[in-house]
Amino acid sequence: MRVVIVGAGQVGSSIAADLADTHEVIVVDCDGERVEELNYSYDVLGVTGDGTSVSTLEEAGIEETDMVIASTDNDETNIVVCSTVKAISDAFTIARVKNTEYLRTWERSERAFGVDFMVCTNLLAAKSIVRMIGLPAARDVDPFAGGKVQMAEFEVDDDSPVANQTVAEADRFDSLTFVAILRNGCVEIARGETVIKPGDRAVVIGSPTSVQEFARSVAPEESPGTAEEVVVVGGSEIGYHVARLLEERGFRPRLIERDGERARDLAERLPKSVVMESDATDIEFLEREHVGDADVVVSTLDSDEKNLLVSLLASRMGVERTIAIIDTADYVDLFETVGVDVGVSPRSVVAEEISRFTRDGEAENIALIESDKAEVLEIEVDSESILAGRPIRESMQELPDGLVIGAITRDREFVTPRGDTVVEVGDHVVVFGDIDVVDDIAPKL
Amino acid sequence: MSVRVDTRASLSLVGSVLKYLAVPLCFPLLVALYYEETIAPFVGTILLTVVLGVGLERLDADPDLRAREGFLMVAVTWLAVAVVGAIPYLIEAHGVPILVEPVHPESTLRNPANALFETMSGFTTTGATVLGDISFESHTRAIMLWRQLTQWLGGMGIVVLAVAILPELSVGGAQLMDAEAPGPGIEKLTPRIAETARALWGAYLGLTVLEIALLYSLNLAGIDGAMTFYNAVSHGLTTMPTGGFSPEARSIEAFSAAAQWIIIPFMIAAGTNFALFWHVLTGDPKRLVRDSEFKFYVGVLGALTAVITAVLFAGGLVSAAPAGGTFDAAYLETFRAEIVGQLEPSLRYAAFQAASIVTTTGYANMDFNAWGPTAQYLLLFAMFIGGSAGSTGGAVKIVRWYVILKSVRRELFTTAHPDAVRPVRLGGRALDERAVRGIYAFTLLYLVIFFVSAGIVFLDATRSGLSLTVLEVLSAIAATLGNVGPGFGAVGPMGSYLAFSNASKLFMFVLMWIGRLEIIPVLVLLTPEYWAR
C-alpha cells in the first residue's frame, strides 16, 4: 500500500517508522531539514512542501496513493489536507486533531471534512488514562465500537468470588459476556459449564460500566470503586476530558487549575467535579486539601517537568498511584524510572492508534489475545452477513465452535447479545474466536 | 446623538399604549349595554384615553427606543394606565357635571385615593381592595367587570401585550419585556420578540378560556348554581393573572368544593413560567418536568400544603372568634365541624390557600383569620415566595430563593475548601456571577423596602388613630409590595384596606407599582446616573 504522511513531527515520524517496513511511505513536510533527516533514518521518500497545496500532493504522487495521514500539529491544516486529497483523488484519509469539537462534527456525518477516519489526540490520551484508573486489576483493556464496548482480561485469584464457579454461575452481570478462559497459555472458549479456576485469566466483553462492575467483584481490593479519590492536576483539554470521562463513570474527581478564568470555565462544564483554583506545586495548598490521601493523582499540566514535579510531590505525600502526561515520548521511560507510576505520551497514543488502524484495514478493529492464539474482531454487519436479520442462536448453528459473539452496538448504543437477539444490518458486532476459526469465518460475517 | 434620556420618545410610546386602552374598555361598555346599566363611565374614559393617548403620541413622530428609554416607558405606562383606569370608578360615583347623574354616589371609590388604589391593585394583579361593599347593589356589573379586566390586562403584562401588537415596539421590545416581566431576564422563545409576546399571550388567553369553560360547565351540570356565566368569566379573568379580585364578597368561599378544586390547578399554572407551556405546546413536554425551577416550585407548594393540611386536620383553628373581626363564633364552629379530622376539607383548604398565597393570587376559600398562629405565620412567609420567573405571580419569585439557597450552600462549601471554584447551577446551566449578585441585590432591596415601608405605615396608622397589630401591618405591606392582595386581621381576605389613611393608601399605591415592576426599573429612574449623559 502506498501511504502519504503529511507532517513529520513526532506523530508523523513514529507512524512512518512503523509503516516503513511493510508499505511504501512518502512523508511531506514544510521543514526541509526534517524531511532530509527522515530520508536518511527510514526507508521512506521525503517531499518538502505544503501538504495543503495540490501541487505538493501531486509531487508526492497522490494519484497512486491509497492512504493519506494528516498528522501535523495543526488541526485545521490536517482537515484541509484531507479535503484537498478528497477533491483530487480517492485515497483513504486519516486526520489527527486535538479539538474534540471537530471529532464531534465528524462523528455526526462520517464524510465531514473529507476525513475518512479521525483521531483525537486529547480524547485518546484522556481515555487511556481513565482506563488505567478504572481497571488496575485488568491485565489488558481494549476498546471497541468507539468506546461503547470493552474487552478486558482479568486474573482470577484464590479468593475471587468467581473462583471455582462455572461460567453460567458467574454470569450474573448485565451487558457482560464471558468469552474465554486463558489457562497455561491455552485459550478455552467459555461455555456455560466451563469452570473458572484460580490462576486462570478470564476474558470478558461488555459495556465499560459492566466491565468496571465485574472488575470490582473479581478483585475487590485492587479495583477502585467510584468512591475512590482522583485528583487531576492541570485543566488542559486532556485534564478536562479525564475529569469528564471519570464523571461519566460515576467518579467525583477534583481538578486543580491555576488560571482563574479557565477554572471557572471548567467548573461550569464539569458539574460533578470540584474545581479548585490554585497552583498545584503549592505544598500548603496540597496539604490543606489532603491531596496526599488521594488514591490517584493525574497530572496534565502543560510541561513535562511540572508533571514530573507534581507526581513526585504527590507520591511523597502518600498518593498511591501517579499518572502523568509526558509530551516528549522519549522521557516516558526515564520518568517512570524516577518515580511517575505511569507515563502517557499523547503523541505515542495517537501514533499507535493510527498505525493499528492502518494495519487492520478499514472497518475492523482487532485485538490479539495470548500472542495471537485468539483474536477479537469488530465487524459492521452488512446484508450479506450470515448474522443479518436473524437471532444469534440460529446463526450460531451454521458457525463453527470456538466463536463467541461478545457484544453488539446499534446506533452507538450497547446491546447485550443473547440467544434470541436479532442482529440487524448496520450493527457493530464484536466477535471473539480462535485464530484459525476467525480467519476462516471472518469473510462470512 | 444625545446620550441623555429621550423623554419625548418614551412618552410618545406611552401615548400609543393609552390610545389602545380604549379597546379593552369596550368590553365593560358592551356589558353595560347588555344589563341596561349606565354607559357613561366607559364612554367618558374611552374619549379621554384616546385624546390623551393621541396627544402624547404626537410628541415624537418616530420614537427611537433605547435601553434607558425602555425603563421610563414601562414605569410611566403602568402609572398612566392606573390613573386612566380609575376614571370609570370616579364617573360612577361622581357622575359628570351637568351631563350625567352619579350612579352610586355612596361608593367608597368616590375618594380619588381609593379609586387610584383599586386600579393599581387591579393592574398590578395585587387584589387588595378598598371597596366598602362588594355587591351588585353598590356597583354596576360593568364596573365590576372593568375591575376584573384590569387584572387580566396587567397579568401577562400591558407592555408585553403592547409588544405583541404594536409594530413600533418590535425593536426595543426585548428591553421593555425585560423591564416588565417578573423574574430575572426573559426567555426569547422565537427569533422575533413580537412573536414571543404573542406566544405568551396566546398561552395566557387559552388557559383563561379553558378555566372559564370548566367553571361554567359546573353550572351547566347543576353542581354549582352560584357559578353563573358572569362569575365564571370573572374568575377566569382573575385567576390566570394571579389577581384575586372576585365579584363575590366571600371570594371563593361562595362556591362549591368542585369549583375550588378546579381553581387550584389554574392558580398553580398561573404561577408557572409561561415559556414552559409554550414548550409543552410546541412538542417538548419534557421541558416542564425537567425544569429545576418548576420542580422546586411544585416541591415548595407540596410541602407547604402538607404542613398546613396536618395543622388544620389536627384542629389548628383559633379557639375563639376575635372581637370586631370579620367573622363570628358561628362561622368558626361551622368550619371546625367541617375541617377538623376530615381529610378532604383539610387538604382542600390548605392546598387552595397555599397555592393562592404562593402564587400571589389572593383568593380565599375561607377566612384564614380563623386559622391558628402556626398556619397564619406559614402563610405570612409564603407571601414572600412568589411564582416562577415568567409567570404572572408577584413577590420575590421562587427562582431567586432557589438561587440564594444554592449559593448559600456554595458558600458553606467554599468555607471548607477556600480554593474551590463553584458556579451556581440552575438546571445544569451555570449562572453568571453577575446574575447571582443581581438576585442578592434584588432580594435584599425587597426586604429593606418591606421593613422600611412597614415602619412608615405603622407610624401613619398610629398618627391617624388607627389601631392595628404588627402582624396586620406586616401582612398588609407584604401583600401590596408582593402583589398578593389580602393580609391578616382587618386587611384579611374578607376585609379591606379601607381603614388606612389616604396617605398610607397612596403609599401602598406606589408599593404595588414598584412591586409589579420588580423595583429596579422604577428605582433606577430616581438615580442621577440615569438622567446624566
Side-chain angles (χ1 to χ4, degrees):
Chain A
M1 196 160 62
R2 192 182 163 98
V3 181
V4 170
I5 299 171
V6 178
Q10 277 191 42
V11 176
S13 309
S14 155
I15 300 170
D18 222 50
L19 301 182
D21 294 342
T22 44
H23 298 283
E24 253 179 85
V25 176
I26 298 104
V27 178
V28 178
D29 200 295
C30 299
D31 186 342
E33 258 177 63
R34 219 186 277 168
V35 170
E36 188 87 340
E37 212 182 290
L38 275 177
N39 259 335
Y40 288 105
S41 15
Y42 305 116
D43 187 13
V44 299
L45 172 69
V47 174
T48 311
D50 179 357
T52 60
S53 88
V54 173
S55 55
T56 311
L57 289 171
E58 275 170 350
E59 199 187 326
I62 194 71
E63 288 90 355
E64 305 96 68
T65 298
D66 304 294
M67 182 182 283
V68 175
I69 300 169
S71 64
T72 72
D73 257 336
N74 183 298
D75 288 4
E76 289 76 12
T77 306
N78 291 342
I79 287 172
V80 173
V81 166
C82 290
S83 310
T84 314
V85 168
K86 273 288 160 215
I88 56 173
S89 82
D90 297 325
F92 189 84
T93 55
I94 298 178
R96 162 207 175 194
V97 294
K98 294 189 198 112
N99 187 340
T100 40
E101 287 306 315
Y102 291 133
L103 182 70
R104 216 172 293 162
T105 309
W106 179 76
E107 278 175 346
R108 277 281 178 85
S109 132
E110 294 197 356
R111 277 187 304 277
F113 311 129
V115 173
D116 293 314
F117 182 61
M118 191 179 264
V119 192
C120 181
T121 322
N122 292 331
L123 194 62
L124 272 182
K127 277 184 177 165
S128 63
I129 290 173
V130 170
R131 273 203 301 276
M132 281 183 258
I133 294 172
L135 301 165
R139 298 286 296 266
D140 189 11
V141 186
D142 273 296
F144 290 92
K148 293 281 180 214
V149 178
Q150 259 182 7
M151 184 214 72
E153 207 180 300
F154 292 95
E155 193 138 352
V156 180
D157 290 336
D158 294 332
D159 47 3
S160 167
V162 295
N164 297 316
Q165 286 188 334
T166 64
V167 166
E169 283 166 339
D171 187 12
R172 52 177 174 262
F173 302 91
D174 280 348
S175 49
L176 188 86
T177 310
F178 283 85
V179 293
I181 303 297
L182 309 179
R183 189 177 299 152
N184 310 323
C186 291
V187 179
E188 193 178 318
I189 297 294
R191 300 271 164 245
E193 62 279 6
T194 311
V195 178
I196 307 169
K197 291 186 186 137
D200 285 355
R201 273 184 280 150
V203 180
V204 295
I205 293 179
S207 65
T209 33
S210 67
V211 171
Q212 168 85 25
E213 199 185 318
F214 178 70
R216 236 175 287 154
S217 72
V218 285
E221 272 147 52
E222 268 182 280
S223 317
T226 50
E228 212 72 355
E229 249 200 83
V230 182
V231 177
V232 180
V233 177
S236 58
E237 273 308 293
I238 297 181
Y240 160 70
H241 284 297
V242 169
R244 184 179 65 83
L245 294 168
L246 286 173
E247 279 188 0
E248 273 179 19
R249 290 183 167 206
F251 285 83
R252 293 186 167 269
R254 284 189 282 169
L255 192 150
I256 301 165
E257 164 62 37
R258 211 168 76 177
D259 178 69
E261 233 169 273
R262 174 73 180 165
R264 166 83 197 185
D265 178 46
L266 289 168
E268 289 182 5
R269 286 152 70 192
L270 296 166
K272 290 177 191 150
S273 306
V274 174
V275 178
M276 314 223 221
E277 180 190 335
S278 175
D279 187 337
T281 51
D282 174 353
I283 296 179
E284 213 177 290
F285 161 79
L286 296 176
E287 280 174 352
R288 187 167 67 227
E289 285 297 337
H290 301 281
V291 170
D293 298 343
D295 301 283
V296 186
V297 164
V298 181
S299 34
T300 59
L301 292 161
D302 51 7
S303 97
D304 292 353
E305 292 75 13
K306 282 190 207 155
N307 285 334
L308 175 62
L309 180 64
V310 166
S311 301
L312 294 178
L313 263 175
S315 327
R316 256 193 57 182
M317 296 180 79
V319 172
E320 281 168 35
R321 249 153 55 97
T322 55
I323 302 176
I325 287 291
I326 301 164
D327 258 324
T328 319
D330 294 346
Y331 288 176
V332 173
D333 278 345
L334 177 66
F335 281 18
E336 285 183 351
T337 319
V338 208
V340 176
D341 289 326
V342 184
V344 173
S345 154
R347 288 198 176 88
S348 314
V349 173
V350 166
E352 273 165 31
E353 174 84 5
I354 293 178
S355 302
R356 194 164 79 155
F357 183 83
T358 315
R359 272 203 308 266
D360 295 349
E362 287 182 28
E364 293 171 0
N365 191 348
I366 299 180
L368 296 174
I369 309 284
E370 279 288 281
S371 39
D372 66 20
K373 288 211 175 64
E375 207 171 84
V376 184
L377 263 184
E378 181 187 338
I379 315 153
E380 188 176 333
V381 173
D382 56 25
S383 53
E384 253 134 69
S385 164
I386 39 174
L387 295 173
R390 49 202 270 198
I392 290 175
R393 188 174 295 116
E394 214 173 282
S395 21
M396 283 315 271
Q397 287 166 354
E398 291 170 36
L399 291 168
D401 285 351
L403 199 75
V404 183
I405 293 184
I408 299 173
T409 59
R410 185 170 299 157
D411 299 327
R412 297 183 190 281
E413 292 301 325
F414 190 91
V415 178
T416 314
R418 294 290 177 244
D420 46 4
T421 311
V422 178
V423 180
E424 289 172 15
V425 173
D427 286 0
H428 281 245
V429 178
V430 180
V431 187
F432 176 93
D434 226 65
I435 195 99
D436 310 324
V437 179
V438 169
D439 281 353
D440 286 348
I441 210 73
K444 292 189 203 162
L445 294 173
Chain B
M1 192 172 76
S2 162
V3 191
R4 256 191 301 185
V5 186
D6 188 352
T7 40
R8 293 170 77 91
S10 306
L11 292 178
S12 156
L13 288 169
V14 173
S16 307
V17 175
L18 276 185
K19 189 178 71 181
Y20 283 107
L21 195 62
V23 178
L25 276 161
C26 290
F27 291 97
L29 180 70
L30 293 174
V31 171
L33 287 171
Y34 179 79
Y35 287 108
E36 296 175 357
E37 295 167 342
T38 172
I39 56 168
F42 304 103
V43 174
T45 314
I46 287 170
L47 288 176
L48 233 141
T49 188
V50 170
V51 169
L52 190 65
V54 171
L56 281 176
E57 221 176 13
R58 290 268 165 99
L59 279 177
D60 191 339
D62 185 19
D64 181 20
L65 195 70
R66 283 162 305 174
R68 288 208 219 172
E69 281 73 34
F71 290 115
L72 186 64
M73 187 256 171
V74 169
V76 175
T77 300
W78 282 80
L79 209 52
V81 295
V83 172
V84 173
I87 296 170
Y89 300 136
L90 293 172
I91 296 181
E92 187 199 34
H94 292 273
V96 180
I98 307 161
L99 294 175
V100 185
E101 285 292 303
V103 190
H104 288 294
E106 75 290 356
S107 161
T108 49
L109 298 184
R110 190 179 169 80
N111 174 352
N114 285 349
L116 283 175
F117 183 99
E118 194 77 6
T119 342
M120 190 56 104
S121 173
F123 276 113
T124 58
T125 75
T126 305
T129 188
V130 285
L131 286 190
D133 177 26
I134 302 178
S135 71
F136 296 127
E137 278 74 59
S138 44
H139 296 280
T140 61
R141 280 166 198 275
I143 278 289
M144 293 295 261
L145 183 77
W146 173 240
R147 185 170 166 261
Q148 287 130 26
L149 200 59
T150 56
Q151 294 207 318
W152 195 71
L153 291 172
M156 192 39 78
I158 298 169
V159 174
V160 178
L161 183 58
V163 171
I165 53 183
L166 299 185
E168 57 262 46
L169 291 183
S170 57
V171 178
Q175 201 45 254
L176 294 175
M177 279 170 64
D178 201 17
E180 184 194 67
I186 58 153
E187 186 188 344
K188 260 198 174 191
L189 301 170
T190 56
R192 292 205 179 278
I193 192 70
E195 246 168 73
T196 298
R198 277 195 285 269
L200 293 175
W201 264 88
Y204 183 57
L205 179 70
L207 284 166
T208 306
V209 170
L210 179 66
E211 189 191 356
I212 292 173
L214 286 176
L215 287 177
Y216 189 53
S217 71
L218 287 181
N219 182 306
L220 294 180
I223 298 169
D224 194 336
M227 191 55 83
T228 59
F229 187 64
Y230 183 90
N231 269 338
V233 171
S234 297
H235 289 92
L237 288 179
T238 53
T239 310
M240 285 318 291
T242 68
F245 272 162
S246 168
E248 292 289 338
R250 304 303 301 172
S251 192
I252 310 302
E253 194 186 295
F255 302 103
S256 62
Q260 295 173 13
W261 277 118
I262 288 179
I263 289 171
I264 292 173
F266 282 97
M267 288 196 289
I268 295 172
T272 305
N273 187 346
F274 274 70
L276 293 174
F277 295 135
W278 189 83
H279 290 303
V280 169
L281 291 175
T282 51
D284 192 4
K286 279 195 192 128
R287 279 286 283 270
L288 182 70
V289 282
R290 268 206 323 255
D291 189 77
S292 51
E293 184 187 10
F294 183 71
K295 283 192 279 195
F296 189 62
Y297 167 63
V298 172
V300 166
L301 275 179
L304 200 61
T305 303
V307 175
I308 298 179
T309 305
V311 171
L312 293 181
F313 187 83
L317 297 179
V318 291
S319 47
T326 47
F327 60 91
D328 53 23
Y331 181 89
L332 195 59
E333 273 323 300
T334 331
F335 276 99
R336 194 180 290 285
E338 187 189 348
I339 295 174
V340 178
Q342 305 287 320
L343 189 61
E344 190 273 336
S346 297
L347 182 65
R348 173 158 46 89
Y349 288 108
F352 190 95
Q353 234 40 79
S356 171
I357 297 296
V358 167
T359 64
T360 76
T361 307
Y363 281 149
N365 58 348
M366 75 174 285
D367 193 336
F368 49 73
N369 279 319
W371 292 12
T374 316
Q376 282 206 1
Y377 275 103
L378 281 172
L379 282 193
L380 181 66
F381 287 129
M383 283 188 183
F384 289 89
I385 300 175
S388 313
S391 75
T392 62
V396 175
K397 304 278 158 350
I398 218 113
V399 67
R400 291 203 176 91
W401 291 118
Y402 187 56
V403 169
I404 288 172
L405 215 67
K406 289 200 115 181
S407 71
V408 166
R409 231 171 53 194
R410 183 228 337 237
E411 224 47 51
L412 295 179
F413 186 86
T414 47
T415 308
H417 303 273
D419 305 285
V421 182
R422 294 224 121 179
V424 175
R425 276 168 208 284
L426 192 62
R429 199 169 46 90
L431 284 181
D432 192 57
E433 289 308 315
R434 263 189 317 193
V436 177
R437 253 200 327 270
I439 285 171
Y440 267 117
F442 172 84
T443 312
L444 192 65
L445 194 61
Y446 189 92
L447 294 176
V448 167
I449 291 179
F450 167 73
F451 283 112
V452 171
S453 306
I456 292 173
V457 171
F458 195 73
L459 282 180
D460 184 64
T462 321
R463 180 191 62 81
S464 59
L466 184 65
S467 114
L468 289 172
T469 64
V470 174
L471 180 69
E472 280 172 322
V473 173
L474 288 180
S475 72
I477 301 301
T480 45
L481 182 62
N483 304 144
V484 180
F488 299 112
V491 295
M494 311 306 171
S496 79
Y497 284 67
L498 200 54
F500 283 105
S501 72
N502 281 349
S504 280
K505 275 184 272 197
L506 288 175
F507 183 71
M508 287 190 239
F509 170 85
V510 174
L511 285 186
M512 292 189 274
W513 177 46
I514 65 172
R516 173 61 178 82
L517 297 181
E518 306 219 305
I519 304 172
I520 312 262
V522 181
L523 282 200
V524 71
L525 302 181
L526 303 179
T527 61
E529 289 80 9
Y530 176 81
W531 299 97
R533 256 169 207 285

